Amino acid sequence: MPARPIQRDENPAGVHLPLDPLPGHTSRGRLERVLRRGEFAVTAELNPPDSADPEDVYNRAKIFDGWIDGINAVDASGANCHMSSVGICALLTRMGYAPIMQIACRDKNRIAIQGDVLGAAAMGVANILCLTGDGVQAGDQPGAKPVFDLDSTSLLETIRIMRDNGKFLSGRKLTTPPQVFLGAAVNPFAPPYDFRPIHLGKKIAAGAQFVQTQYCFDVPMFRGFMERARDLGFTEKVFILCGVGPLASAKTAKWIRSNVPGIHIPDAVIKRLEGAQDQKAEGKRLCIDIINEVKEIPGVAGVHVMAYRQEEYVAEIVDESGVLKGRRPWKHEPRPDDHLVADRLGHILNDDVTETQTDMVKSAH
């Protein structure tokens, strides 16, 4: 039987190992390669578990296999505690996935953040998304003490200095700088609207190489933002991924519009959902229609799919939208020795006979 061909953008020595460096690239990750090749990129958010079980992460990541180019590891969004972003990234890189580690400035000072950047880079994290973070009053532990030592722009500058100058903010030199692709979030749908392209420019100047936008439910408004960004020359300097996602129902859409700051949902969207016999299916169809519109806007480099509690729809949405144009993103393939590792773990956990370390070494040969 012929050997399985190696997936593109995969280290032949192991899926968990970094790729060879390329000229003009700041990371050794797949997402940067896909974008710089001019391919339409697709990223998605992993809903972080309230659990210490790694399988909870892997089961959620498997849903995206073969359909996306990067997985956002959310950092306590909404100021609600879940498994940490750096912990999720550690698990994902171990299996060869391409995580985008989110860092929110709400919970850590510059000392802790710089340490996390080095640790993440050492684990193989190639992408970091810099966020200011929601205030603690938005979450279920409003008595927590906020930090906000940095904001998203100064965080971008901090990591860029670490990467490009090889220094901490203190000026102390790094032995090995982190090789990372820097991202930021932008919201074209929040007032003042005329300021949003200027705000994008500030983040580009601070170091942003790609941006993911807030949910887009108003394509004309997004088209106006992109036109202004093109006029300012920003689409030549940064890769813009438009945020999209399915709405479960008109009731859900109304609740989000009233309770989640920064998300703009036009009346026409709610009326479309209200008029559908199957509102959940119509919400998925709406998402596909929006993707098909935004993918034609000049300067849009990809989409970021946020399907909270509807992750099972991501593959269908990407497939039916046709944005990949026949391209198949990296997919985790079982390794030949996976069953050997599982057998060994089962033996250690379930066997009544306790092996010594010496016995385990002998049995492995």
Side-chain angles (χ1 to χ4, degrees):
M1 181 181 293
R4 179 177 67 85
I6 294 173
Q7 294 265 3
R8 184 167 63 171
D9 296 336
E10 180 178 296
N11 191 322
V15 296
H16 61 290
L17 297 174
L19 300 166
D20 290 334
L22 289 178
H25 289 226
T26 60
S27 77
R28 298 167 74 177
R30 286 193 297 272
L31 178 60
E32 184 175 6
R33 292 184 176 216
V34 167
L35 287 167
R36 292 196 187 279
R37 282 198 297 259
E39 296 170 343
F40 198 86
V42 180
T43 59
E45 287 195 352
L46 185 146
N47 182 25
D50 294 338
S51 166
D53 187 349
E55 285 303 314
D56 289 339
V57 173
Y58 294 138
N59 288 336
R60 296 177 190 206
K62 288 174 186 174
I63 295 173
F64 304 136
D65 267 359
W67 295 104
I68 66 173
D69 301 296
I71 300 177
N72 277 43
V74 176
D75 188 16
S77 64
N80 291 307
C81 185
H82 309 283
M83 184 186 289
S84 70
S85 177
V86 70
I88 291 171
C89 287
L91 295 170
L92 293 179
T93 54
R94 188 183 301 173
M95 303 298 284
Y97 290 103
I100 301 168
M101 187 174 85
Q102 292 189 1
I103 299 179
C105 297
R106 174 191 57 245
D107 304 316
K108 297 177 181 178
N109 67 16
R110 66 191 68 190
I111 298 172
I113 288 174
Q114 289 174 93
D116 278 354
V117 169
L118 293 182
M123 291 185 299
V125 174
N127 315 290
I128 296 179
L129 189 77
C130 300
L131 306 168
T132 298
D134 301 308
V136 295
Q137 68 277 5
D140 58 3
Q141 300 181 67
K145 291 185 178 181
V147 179
F148 294 114
D149 184 25
L150 304 173
D151 62 14
S152 59
T153 303
S154 56
L155 176 56
L156 283 165
E157 292 174 341
T158 296
I159 303 176
R160 178 175 54 80
I161 288 169
M162 294 174 69
R163 183 193 67 200
D164 297 348
N165 298 350
K167 294 179 180 181
F168 289 112
L169 284 182
S170 66
R172 184 157 51 91
K173 290 186 178 180
L174 294 168
T175 304
T176 303
Q179 295 178 298
V180 289
F181 190 46
L182 286 177
V186 295
N187 189 356
F189 314 104
Y193 305 115
D194 291 342
F195 176 70
R196 292 303 156 187
I198 306 302
H199 191 221
L200 169 62
K202 292 178 181 295
K203 293 195 173 186
I204 294 171
Q209 298 165 286
F210 73 97
V211 296
Q212 296 172 331
T213 80
Q214 181 58 278
Y215 284 104
C216 173
F217 295 109
D218 190 329
V219 177
M221 184 178 288
F222 180 67
R223 189 176 284 113
F225 169 83
M226 288 300 302
E227 182 178 353
R228 181 65 175 140
R230 289 195 304 273
D231 290 344
L232 293 169
F234 294 157
T235 55
E236 303 298 320
K237 300 176 181 179
V238 71
F239 298 101
I240 299 175
L241 281 69
C242 179
V244 297
L247 290 166
S249 66
K251 181 180 178 181
T252 299
K254 289 177 181 178
W255 186 92
I256 291 172
R257 185 167 71 173
S258 299
N259 294 278
V260 183
I263 297 183
H264 166 63
I265 303 178
D267 289 338
V269 168
I270 293 175
K271 288 181 180 178
R272 174 173 169 176
L273 293 173
E274 287 176 333
Q277 187 172 3
D278 184 340
Q279 293 192 8
K280 195 168 188 178
E282 189 64 23
K284 186 187 81 169
R285 184 71 248 169
L286 171 69
C287 181
I288 294 169
D289 290 346
I290 290 173
I291 292 174
N292 282 324
E293 286 191 71
V294 301
K295 72 182 182 183
E296 302 300 330
I297 298 175
V300 175
V303 289
H304 176 54
V305 186
M306 297 172 281
Y308 180 66
R309 294 185 178 177
Q310 297 188 79
E311 290 88 349
E312 68 277 6
Y313 280 160
V314 170
E316 295 177 29
I317 289 169
V318 175
D319 185 32
E320 293 178 31
S321 69
V323 288
L324 293 177
K325 298 180 179 179
R327 178 176 71 88
R328 292 289 287 178
W330 182 90
K331 179 178 181 180
H332 174 69
E333 300 285 355
R335 290 166 38 184
D337 60 346
D338 277 355
H339 71 282
L340 298 175
V341 175
D343 288 345
R344 171 58 64 191
L345 286 173
H347 176 65
I348 293 170
L349 295 172
N350 301 318
D351 202 323
D352 291 335
V353 179
T354 302
E355 277 189 309
T356 66
Q357 289 183 336
T358 303
D359 291 334
M360 291 173 66
V361 172
K362 288 179 179 178
S363 65
H365 292 280

